[in-house]
Amino acid sequence: MAGKGMADKGKPAPPQGPGTAVITRTKAQTRRPNMYRVLILNDDYTPMEFVVLILERFFGKSRDEATRIMLHVHHHGVGECGIYTYEVAETKVTQVMDFARKHQHPLQCVMEKK
């Protein structure tokens, strides 16, 4: 049997009474943000060179990479431009759509959760 002021296993009991408190630290839980794929959809009217321009200008792709993605869109109907956080993906989709409309192309750009 432990003596007075001793907790189980022979450790001293924490002081109790007025003026004492237990301080606990909570570790902040950080989560990675959801990521979104930005996709270009194929259509029969937007020139291939315009799609390459979009990929270079708004997604920072090299000429070779932009051409490869454009051909993928042409042959498969859809192509991935990049993966971004929600706000960045939304901004890129808006920029591409505005630019396409300004140049009178029906190009469609969308985003989907990864």
Side-chain angles (χ1 to χ4, degrees):
M1 184 164 175
K4 187 175 182 176
M6 297 296 282
D8 291 330
K9 299 184 182 179
K11 294 181 183 175
Q16 295 185 1
T20 62
V22 176
I23 299 173
T24 59
R25 291 187 180 170
T26 57
K27 188 173 181 181
Q29 292 290 333
T30 55
R31 284 189 0 217
R32 298 198 74 146
N34 290 326
M35 301 302 281
Y36 292 81
R37 298 170 65 207
V38 176
L39 307 170
I40 287 185
L41 308 179
N42 190 38
D43 64 69
D44 294 333
Y45 304 101
T46 304
M48 293 179 180
E49 191 58 36
F50 187 78
V51 175
V52 171
L53 174 65
I54 291 280
L55 291 163
E56 289 174 332
R57 179 175 289 193
F58 296 105
F59 298 97
K61 305 295 184 189
S62 67
R63 172 67 65 162
D64 288 343
E65 190 175 9
T67 301
R68 183 184 55 77
I69 294 169
M70 177 273 300
L71 288 172
H72 188 273
V73 171
H74 182 69
H75 292 114
H76 300 281
V78 65
E80 183 178 281
C81 304
I83 300 172
Y84 308 95
T85 60
Y86 180 84
E87 292 80 8
V88 173
E90 185 178 47
T91 299
K92 294 211 177 268
V93 167
T94 301
Q95 289 174 329
V96 169
M97 295 295 289
D98 289 348
F99 191 74
R101 296 300 161 265
K102 180 180 175 186
H103 290 87
Q104 300 178 347
H105 294 297
L107 183 68
Q108 292 294 304
C109 185
V110 297
M111 59 190 260
E112 70 175 24
K113 194 171 185 179
K114 184 164 171 39

